[in-house]
Amino acid sequence: MEDSAENAHGGVNSPDTEDHWCLDEELPPSKLGTKEYWDSAYEKELETFKDIGDVGEIWFGEESMTRVIKWMKKAKIPQNASILDIGTGNGVFLVALADQGYKNLTGIDYSATSVELARNILLAEGQTDATVKKVDFIRCQSELESFDVCIDKGTFDAISLNPDNAKESKRLYVESLKSVLKDKGFFVITSCNWTKEQLVERFKEGFELLEELPTPTFKFGGQTGSSVTALIFRKVH
Ligand SMILES: C[S@@+](CC[C@H](N)C(=O)[O-])C[C@H]1O[C@@H](n2cnc3c(N)ncnc32)[C@H](O)[C@@H]1O
């Protein structure tokens, strides 16, 4: 099992460049913004899982899941709350949530191989409380019901790197989020490509920032910063 704590998206959020960004600048396009990249990554991970049982990459490391689960407990999110993991990848977050007693879990991903991998891992872990579906979140229209909590770990980052039309993809992401999250529902995002200020700006229409979760900090050139941002938003009218 690998942990990926560094900026895995090509180092685009290195501390020396961040200062020059305006609030909603586009990121340089990357293969990590393409479905082909994820299909081929999960094909390899699926093969490895079948061979040796390794679940593959955990984006931003195990602590990125622990941090969110800790907040959910503090916020007293009921165990029967409906929870959506947007861009679930290998579905390991669903396993961690199920281990904590959450029972109404859905994971979606636009990569069919991710869905297969996540289903295999859940099965191997004996978890039957989670459903995994192949859904393109930015084109999901009425494919999904509404949820009490939506979790995103690295998916908005990936969508922001779409080489075809990142600007439109980000706009569609916010629209989809508005349609699948219940009023007053929580949106929990972990990002390595966007700062707190940039995320607040991006989600200002329809969402209010409730809390920033503490993440590890680093020092660079005498300045202290975080390589990962974790925020809790609430949907407002
Ligand atoms: C950086 S990975 C994070 C995976 C997982 N959330 C984790 O923390 O391990 C980004 C994930 O987003 C998925 N993804 C990207 N664009 C998507 C979209 N439009 N709809 C659904 N999933 C998408 C990718 O297939 C990939 O699994």
Side-chain angles (χ1 to χ4, degrees), residues 25 32-33 37 48 60 68-70 91-92 120-121 127 129 137 141 146 157 159 161 187 196 198 224 226:
E25 198 170 319
L32 282 95
Y37 173 85
T48 309
F60 313 136
V68 171
I69 288 171
K70 200 170 151 199
V92 167
N120 272 267
I121 291 174
Q127 294 295 355
D129 287 333
F137 186 64
Q141 303 289 333
S146 48
D157 282 351
I159 285 172
L161 296 166
F187 171 50
K196 173 185 167 188
Q198 288 170 323
T224 303
S226 296

Side-chain angles (χ1 to χ4, degrees), residues 73-105:
K73 297 216 156 152
K74 190 186 85 177
K76 298 194 169 34
I77 303 293
Q79 297 214 315
N80 63 355
S82 50
I83 300 172
L84 176 68
D85 186 22
I86 303 166
T88 196
N90 55 18
V92 167
F93 210 157
L94 297 171
V95 173
L97 289 164
D99 283 346
Q100 295 298 317
Y102 292 100
K103 295 181 192 329
N104 191 350
L105 302 170

Side-chain angles (χ1 to χ4, degrees), residues 9 32 38 42 57-60 85-90 93 108-111 114 135-139 152-155 158-159:
H9 295 171
L32 282 95
W38 294 109
Y42 291 123
E57 184 126 24
I58 298 197
W59 288 80
F60 313 136
D85 186 22
I86 303 166
T88 196
N90 55 18
F93 210 157
I108 57 157
D109 205 290
Y110 71 171
S111 164
S114 140
V135 176
D136 182 342
F137 186 64
I138 64 173
R139 290 181 186 84
D152 178 317
K153 191 158 70 67
T155 303
I159 285 172

Side-chain angles (χ1 to χ4, degrees), residues 1 14 30 54 88 125 149 168-169 176 204:
M1 182 186 289
S14 62
S30 155
D54 187 314
T88 196
E125 294 289 331
V149 181
E168 179 63 359
S169 302
S176 294
K204 69 179 179 196

Side-chain angles (χ1 to χ4, degrees), residues 176-226:
S176 294
L177 184 64
K178 276 190 206 159
S179 75
V180 302
L181 191 58
K182 290 181 186 168
D183 278 343
K184 298 192 177 166
F186 298 104
F187 171 50
V188 183
I189 181 165
T190 304
S191 166
C192 69
N193 278 340
W194 300 106
T195 63
K196 173 185 167 188
E197 291 71 24
Q198 288 170 323
L199 290 170
V200 168
E201 176 67 18
R202 167 55 49 190
F203 293 98
K204 69 179 179 196
E205 304 284 329
F207 304 89
E208 66 179 3
L209 178 66
L210 276 192
E211 197 172 331
E212 178 175 17
L213 304 183
T215 56
T217 54
F218 64 89
K219 271 206 166 171
F220 186 89
Q223 287 195 323
T224 303
S226 296

